[in-house]
Amino acid sequence: MLGLDTGPNPLWLLEDLARDLDLRPGMRVLDLGSGKGATSVFLAREYGVRVVAAD
């Protein structure tokens, strides 16, 4: 994951942001600026959401 870093670690930022969201399995999430998809995979695995990603 560190190889995908293009600034502050996107997974750490997403984990912090996700605390304020009411993510539930099956929800749809739009991941804009997804790059190589690390944040999309994280959301799908950790929260069970369906992710649409666009970079």
Side-chain angles (χ1 to χ4, degrees), residues 2 6 16 19 22 24-25 30 33 36 38 44-47 53:
L2 293 176
T6 58
D16 187 45
R19 289 185 197 123
D22 185 23
R24 294 181 306 275
L30 178 60
K36 295 183 180 180
R45 287 186 180 171
E46 296 296 316
Y47 295 96

Side-chain angles (χ1 to χ4, degrees), residues 10-53:
L11 297 178
W12 294 339
L13 295 173
L14 178 58
E15 194 172 38
D16 187 45
L17 174 65
R19 289 185 197 123
D20 296 328
L21 303 175
D22 185 23
L23 296 174
R24 294 181 306 275
M27 292 178 92
R28 286 179 287 182
V29 173
L30 178 60
D31 186 2
L32 294 173
S34 59
K36 295 183 180 180
T39 52
S40 300
V41 171
F42 176 81
L43 286 167
R45 287 186 180 171
E46 296 296 316
Y47 295 96
V49 298
R50 296 181 298 165
V51 181
V52 175

